[in-house]
């Protein structure tokens, strides 16, 4: 397959600004950029596919520029739900340096910051040299603005399109950057940048835009949220074990799509895994491959092996075989229930709402369905107290084969 054919097969092309881009991509040698604003101090799993697309282009001989928007971060890209909260200069600076380190370490891309070329632009310069090229009717018909017209949009966020267009213009002029890539929600901003370049340098300029489809779950909702929140690429915010669990629980209906977008596995291997999903979905071989590839790429093989060790220990009920850090990692990823004081097992199950009634709790205990820290318990009068704390203030409760809970004993015995 050519590069363009592979991108299409992997489902990574939503739209392109010109059919000529196909040949350009296949030839290699383009300088392109992908951008993100420092709204957090880590990228998340939703960014990962876009970054991998940039790496696929880099591996084919193109030169990537990673723009972290030190300037556009002050403004905020309009979102459908309403105005963004303005971040402080200190927060943006912290986030910028964190993202710079993360992206450079994981991907090795050349980094650029749009604050470098916008911080000295005066209001008059902005209006005369750039704003003059933007028709208001054109701007309000862009999807990112149109979806906010009824609820209202500030001039600050309305002007974001101009700032991002200025980025493409600057990188074209200073680094011969002729391609911008981004998610499909960036189509309006990308095409606006192309228009600005053409108005400044003529219609025969060879510059392009490419957007990638947003990644969703089977129900159409946004991909990248676990029960505990956003799945981050930073191991301190989402541990390799938590990421492994998130990915290994991917839906059968979506896992092949995720394998195409999130891994470098070839077509032959992904076709084999697709057959496994169809014939033996209970083995979850495709999900395990997805989790292995992503965790290893981001955090290394040792982190993947630790994630696998924790997973296997929990499955076999051998939580005590893990060291304290591994136990903490496992328990922090689970749903937590608070227990204010020691009490008998049956009462604890009801108080923490693991069981709906004392009768249900007693039935579970009697049938051997309840485990405490990996050990089956059949005594409903067993006192759950600080002696049962596994690590920190946490006690692991398992019901049946798949239901795990962490009970946090927040107050010790008088």
């Amino acid at each position: 397959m050519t590069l363009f054919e592979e991108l299409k097969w992997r489902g990574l092309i939503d739209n392109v600004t010109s059919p000529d881009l196909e040949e350009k991509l296949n030839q290699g040698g383009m300088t392109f950029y992908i951008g993100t604003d420092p709204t957090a101090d880590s990228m998340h799993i939703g960014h990962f596919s876009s970054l991998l697309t940039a790496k696929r282009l880099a591996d084919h001989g193109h030169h990537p520029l990673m723009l972290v928007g030190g300037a556009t971060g002050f403004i905020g890209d309009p979102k459908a739900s309403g105005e963004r909260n303005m971040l402080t200069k200190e927060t943006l600076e912290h986030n910028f340096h964190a993202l710079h380190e993360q992206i450079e370490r994981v991907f090795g891309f050349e980094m650029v910051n749009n604050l470098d070329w916008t911080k000295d632009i005066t209001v008059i310069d902005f209006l005369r040299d750039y704003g003059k090229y933007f028709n208001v009717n054109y701007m309000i018909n862009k999807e990112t603005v149109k979806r906010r017209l009824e609820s209202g949009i500030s001039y600050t966020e309305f002007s974001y399109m101009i700032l991002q267009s200025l980025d493409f213009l600057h990188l074209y002029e200073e680094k011969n950057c002729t391609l911008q890539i981004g998610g499909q929600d960036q189509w309006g901003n990308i095409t606006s940048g192309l228009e600005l370049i053409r108005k400044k340098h003529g219609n025969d300029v060879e510059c392009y835009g490419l957007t990638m489809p947003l990644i969703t779950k089977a129900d159409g909702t946004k991909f990248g949220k676990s029960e505990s929140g956003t799945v981050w690429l930073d191991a301190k915010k989402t541990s390799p074990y938590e990421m492994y669990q998130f990915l290994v629980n991917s839906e059968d209906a979506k896992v092949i799509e995720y394998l195409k977008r999130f891994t470098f596995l070839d077509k032959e291997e992904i076709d084999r895994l697709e057959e496994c999903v169809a014939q033996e979905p209970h083995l979850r071989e495709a999900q395990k491959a997805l989790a292995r590839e992503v965790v290893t790429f981001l955090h290394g093989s040792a982190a993947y092996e630790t994630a696998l060790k924790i997973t296997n220990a929990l499955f076999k009920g051998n939580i005590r075989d893990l060291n304290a850090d591994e136990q903490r990692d496992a328990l922090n990823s689970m749903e937590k229930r608070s227990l204010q004081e020691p009490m008998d097992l049956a009462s604890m199950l009801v108080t923490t709402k693991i069981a709906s009634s004392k009768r249900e709790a007693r039935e579970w205990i009697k049938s051997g369905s309840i485990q405490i820290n990996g050990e089956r318990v059949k005594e409903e009068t067993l006192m759950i107290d600080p002696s049962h704390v596994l690590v920190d203030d946490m006690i692991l409760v398992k019901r049946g084969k798949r239901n795990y809970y962490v009970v946090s004993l927040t107050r010790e015995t008088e």
Side-chain angles (χ1 to χ4, degrees):
M1 284 189 287
T2 65
L3 173 61
F4 193 83
E5 287 170 342
E6 181 179 353
L7 294 176
K8 287 186 69 175
W9 170 73
R10 291 186 181 274
L12 292 171
I13 296 180
D14 174 64
N15 211 344
V16 295
T17 55
S18 168
D20 296 340
L21 181 59
E22 178 174 353
E23 183 179 353
K24 294 283 186 180
L25 287 175
N26 291 337
Q27 287 175 347
M30 299 180 77
T31 295
F32 70 96
Y33 92 94
I34 180 171
T36 188
D37 286 336
T39 52
D41 58 3
S42 171
M43 306 288 274
H44 54 70
I45 194 69
H47 293 118
F48 188 52
S49 173
S50 298
L51 291 169
L52 282 187
T53 300
K55 188 173 188 327
R56 295 181 207 280
L57 267 61
D59 290 347
H60 199 77
H62 299 286
H63 179 65
L65 302 172
M66 183 71 212
L67 185 151
V68 178
T72 42
F74 278 106
I75 304 303
D77 196 2
K79 56 180 184 176
S81 56
E83 290 283 317
R84 292 181 181 272
N85 293 324
M86 302 287 277
L87 299 179
T88 66
K89 180 179 179 181
E90 292 73 22
T91 298
L92 285 167
E93 189 169 331
H94 164 77
N95 291 350
F96 173 83
H97 289 297
L99 292 179
H100 189 291
E101 188 279 330
Q102 182 181 63
I103 296 164
E104 196 170 55
R105 173 176 50 82
V106 176
F107 294 94
F109 297 157
E110 179 183 349
M111 306 290 293
V112 292
N113 180 1
N114 59 18
L115 188 62
D116 293 341
W117 56 83
T118 57
K119 65 180 185 298
D120 295 326
I121 296 176
T122 67
V123 174
I124 299 299
D125 291 339
F126 179 76
L127 294 174
R128 286 180 61 89
D129 296 342
Y130 307 106
K132 188 68 175 176
Y133 291 96
F134 287 81
N135 183 287
V136 170
N137 291 338
Y138 170 85
M139 293 175 71
I140 62 176
N141 279 310
K142 292 295 183 181
E143 188 60 33
T144 52
V145 174
K146 186 189 298 185
R147 62 191 178 189
R148 284 279 300 283
L149 289 180
E150 288 188 14
S151 60
I153 182 171
S154 68
Y155 179 76
T156 298
E157 291 194 5
F158 182 65
S159 65
Y160 183 94
M161 184 187 300
I162 302 178
L163 276 182
Q164 186 167 318
S165 300
L166 196 160
D167 292 342
F168 202 172
L169 174 66
H170 175 86
L171 293 174
Y172 169 73
E173 292 175 339
E174 298 298 321
K175 291 183 174 289
N176 194 31
C177 175
T178 55
L179 170 66
Q180 181 183 356
I181 69 173
Q184 67 183 61
D185 58 340
Q186 293 300 307
W187 180 255
N189 291 328
I190 291 173
T191 54
S192 294
L194 287 171
E195 286 299 309
L196 179 60
I197 292 172
R198 287 167 181 151
K199 287 175 180 177
K200 285 277 192 175
H201 293 279
N203 289 328
D204 58 344
V205 167
E206 293 186 2
C207 287
Y208 308 92
L210 180 154
T211 55
M212 298 158 281
L214 299 181
I215 300 176
T216 63
K217 295 186 287 188
D219 62 4
T221 58
K222 203 169 185 179
F223 176 82
K225 293 282 187 179
S226 68
E227 289 183 3
S228 58
T230 301
V231 178
W232 302 99
L233 303 191
D234 186 340
K236 295 178 182 177
K237 295 166 76 73
T238 297
S239 72
Y241 166 73
E242 290 174 298
M243 179 170 285
Y244 180 91
Q245 286 301 310
F246 173 77
L247 294 168
V248 86
N249 285 297
S250 298
E251 303 155 298
D252 288 346
K254 299 290 284 186
V255 66
I256 299 303
E257 175 187 328
Y258 299 158
L259 280 166
K260 290 178 179 179
R261 297 191 186 187
F262 288 117
T263 79
F264 288 93
L265 294 178
D266 61 25
K267 186 176 186 300
E268 182 180 1
E269 175 63 6
I270 292 178
D271 286 346
R272 185 189 71 80
L273 290 168
E274 187 170 18
E275 186 67 19
C276 290
V277 174
Q279 299 297 327
E280 299 178 299
H282 60 284
L283 296 180
R284 303 192 73 74
E285 190 172 347
Q287 284 87 345
K288 291 174 184 177
L290 173 68
R292 179 192 69 233
E293 293 297 308
V294 174
V295 171
T296 301
F297 182 91
L298 287 171
H299 304 300
S301 57
Y304 164 70
E305 292 297 337
T306 298
L308 203 57
K309 177 184 176 184
I310 296 171
T311 300
N312 291 333
L314 287 173
F315 179 75
K316 296 175 181 177
N318 297 334
I319 186 71
R320 292 188 182 276
D321 291 348
L322 304 175
N323 63 39
D325 286 338
E326 292 166 345
Q327 290 174 350
R328 188 176 293 111
D329 196 357
L331 299 186
N332 280 334
S333 67
M334 297 179 190
E335 181 181 354
K336 293 180 175 60
R337 310 293 176 93
S338 179
L339 188 66
Q340 299 299 318
E341 58 187 2
M343 61 182 65
D344 65 84
L345 177 58
S347 298
M348 182 272 285
L349 292 174
V350 176
T351 299
T352 56
K353 298 184 178 179
I354 294 173
S356 59
S357 67
K358 274 281 185 76
R359 179 180 178 180
E360 185 176 54
R362 290 179 182 130
E363 288 176 353
W364 288 348
I365 297 167
K366 185 178 180 180
S367 66
S369 295
I370 298 298
Q371 293 182 33
I372 301 295
N373 298 331
E375 297 179 3
R376 201 172 305 280
V377 181
K378 291 190 174 183
E379 302 171 35
E380 64 180 75
T381 58
L382 175 71
M383 287 298 294
I384 303 300
D385 58 29
S387 68
H388 291 96
V389 167
L390 189 65
V391 63
D392 298 336
D393 62 355
M394 297 182 287
I395 302 167
L396 177 62
V397 180
K398 183 180 179 184
R399 177 177 66 82
K401 293 182 178 181
R402 297 180 178 274
N403 301 295
Y404 292 91
Y405 310 89
V406 172
V407 173
S408 178
L409 185 56
T410 57
R411 186 170 71 86
E412 295 189 0
T413 312
E414 295 289 344

